[in-house]
């Protein structure tokens, strides 16, 4: 059975996911990492073009400040320029903040994250999970408002991914155990129905995503009443299209830490070729797609 939304109709976002208890655990790992870095580590280049480790830490501080200012204090913040798209807006305002935080020492950045993090946890605790999102999650769907639980889960994935980008840059493993990574994968999979939206198929057509590894699992989308919806995998029926990939490949694909072509080379694609190729364009961040 598919999950139902507040109106009783099938929800395009799947069953609710409560990630609120994960924020302190992810942040504890982040702060331990930042406090262990050598001075040279802070200037190590990352997968984010033009940004080093210091810039990503500054960007995380921006995320904390932005959500507290808007979600708790009702502050409007930066506004769109004329004809500016959402990706262009985010690129501009994130770049401005990253430049500003280059004036801050690593210790000040780390201390600010440690100070503001619990305030953000307290904000999430006040939000009814089924209420409308503070910020809609466009990569999971644009046909109806996002629920708050998906907005909060999206923020969790943002923090987790940026921590992993720092770890990659300084060759430090960790923070990728199932308890922290599985919810990231689960959240990113909420983008699967929206990814398939242009693929018209008969009702009952299904796409199965198998993610291998301790943090993995199985996720499925099914065509129903002319739209794609998340649905639990059915063990007694084979999918129309099937993608199998490992957990590391999947989260990097969803955030474009690797290219679509590289993700496909690392995966096994069977069944309807057009569906598997579309499924492997899944994107769970706001980005300009070439």
């Amino acid at each position: 059975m598919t999950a139902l939304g507040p109106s009783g109709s099938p929800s395009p976002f799947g069953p609710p996911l409560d990630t609120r208890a994960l924020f302190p655990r992810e942040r504890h790992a982040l702060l331990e990492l930042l406090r262990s870095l050598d001075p040279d580590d802070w200037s190590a280049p990352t997968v984010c073009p033009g940004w080093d480790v210091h810039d990503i830490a500054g960007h995380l501080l921006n995320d904390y400040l932005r959500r507290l200012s808007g979600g708790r204090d009702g502050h409007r913040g930066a506004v769109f320029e004329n004809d500016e798209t959402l990706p262009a807006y985010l690129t501009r305002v994130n770049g401005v903040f990253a430049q500003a935080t280059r004036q801050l020492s690593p210790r000040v950045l780390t201390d600010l994250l440690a100070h503001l993090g619990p305030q953000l946890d307290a904000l999430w605790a006040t939000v009814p999970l089924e209420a409308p999102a503070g910020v809609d999650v466009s990569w999971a769907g644009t046909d109806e408002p996002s629920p708050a639980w998906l907005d909060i889960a999206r923020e969790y994935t943002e923090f987790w991914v940026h921590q992993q980008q720092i770890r990659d840059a300084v060759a430090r493993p960790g923070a990728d155990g199932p308890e922290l990574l599985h919810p990231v994968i689960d959240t990113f999979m909420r983008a699967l129905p929206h990814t398939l939206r242009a693929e018209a198929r008969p009702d009952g057509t299904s796409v199965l995503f198998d993610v291998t590894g301790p943090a993995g699992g199985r996720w499925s989308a099914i065509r129903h009443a002319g739209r794609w919806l998340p649905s639990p995998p059915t063990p007694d029926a084979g999918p129309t299209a099937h993608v199998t990939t490992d957990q590391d490949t999947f989260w990097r694909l969803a955030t474009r830490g690797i290219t679509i072509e590289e993700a496909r080379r690392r995966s096994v694609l069977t069944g309807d070729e057009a569906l598997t190729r579309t499924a492997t364009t899944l994107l769970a961040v706001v980005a300009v797609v070439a």
Side-chain angles (χ1 to χ4, degrees):
M1 295 179 62
T2 58
L4 300 181
S7 66
S9 59
S11 169
F13 306 119
L17 175 64
D18 187 355
T19 56
R20 292 175 296 181
L22 298 172
F23 285 86
R25 297 164 66 182
E26 184 277 332
R27 188 171 59 253
H28 176 76
L30 172 68
L31 295 174
E32 280 196 332
L33 170 65
L34 296 181
R35 288 167 177 153
S36 73
L37 297 181
D38 296 326
D40 288 346
D41 289 334
W42 286 87
S43 58
T46 72
V47 70
C48 300
W51 279 11
D52 60 17
V53 167
H54 190 285
D55 291 329
I56 288 189
H59 175 65
L60 284 169
L61 177 61
N62 182 23
D63 284 339
Y64 282 31
L65 291 167
R66 174 178 53 84
R67 293 314 298 254
L68 285 168
S69 296
R72 185 189 65 187
D73 305 333
H75 183 63
R76 185 181 180 190
V79 298
F80 282 74
E81 294 182 345
N82 291 337
D83 300 323
E84 192 172 38
T85 64
L86 178 59
Y89 165 82
L90 291 174
T91 297
R92 175 174 61 84
V93 297
N94 289 340
V96 168
F97 198 91
Q99 289 181 5
T101 55
R102 289 170 188 163
Q103 306 302 313
L104 304 181
S105 70
R107 178 177 176 180
V108 167
L109 274 179
T110 305
D111 287 350
L112 285 171
L113 290 168
H115 175 68
L116 294 172
Q119 296 182 45
L120 195 56
D121 299 341
L123 171 62
W124 301 142
T126 68
V127 178
L129 294 182
E130 296 293 348
V135 180
D136 281 335
V137 183
S138 59
W139 49 255
T142 56
D143 294 339
E144 59 186 82
S146 303
W149 64 260
L150 183 57
D151 178 25
I152 295 170
R154 181 260 312 277
E155 288 300 294
Y156 171 71
T157 68
E158 168 94 355
F159 299 165
W160 185 90
V161 166
H162 285 314
Q163 180 179 166
Q164 298 308 307
Q165 290 168 343
I166 293 173
R167 289 182 179 277
D168 285 348
V170 297
R172 302 280 186 89
D176 58 353
E179 69 284 355
L180 293 181
L181 176 53
H182 179 79
V184 173
I185 296 172
D186 193 5
T187 302
F188 285 167
M189 280 296 181
R190 310 311 170 105
L192 181 58
H194 187 62
T195 302
L196 298 168
R197 64 193 180 279
E199 294 289 346
R201 294 291 189 281
D203 280 6
T205 302
S206 63
V207 176
L208 177 64
F209 236 115
D210 265 315
V211 180
T212 61
R218 311 186 92 202
W219 289 264
S220 181
I222 192 167
R223 187 78 172 176
H224 174 74
R227 65 191 300 207
W228 290 97
L229 294 169
S231 179
T234 52
D236 55 343
T240 310
H242 190 180
V243 178
T244 301
T245 194
D246 66 87
Q247 61 188 41
D248 188 72
T249 296
F250 179 74
W251 79 258
R252 294 180 190 277
L253 165 69
T255 59
R256 292 302 183 267
I258 58 173
T259 64
I260 294 170
E261 291 73 22
E262 176 62 23
R264 286 173 180 157
R265 285 193 292 270
R266 299 185 189 183
S267 305
V268 177
L269 314 179
T270 59
D272 186 313
E273 182 179 1
L275 285 179
T276 59
R277 291 187 67 81
T278 299
T280 48
T281 66
L282 185 147
L283 181 67
V285 293
V286 177
V288 178
V289 182

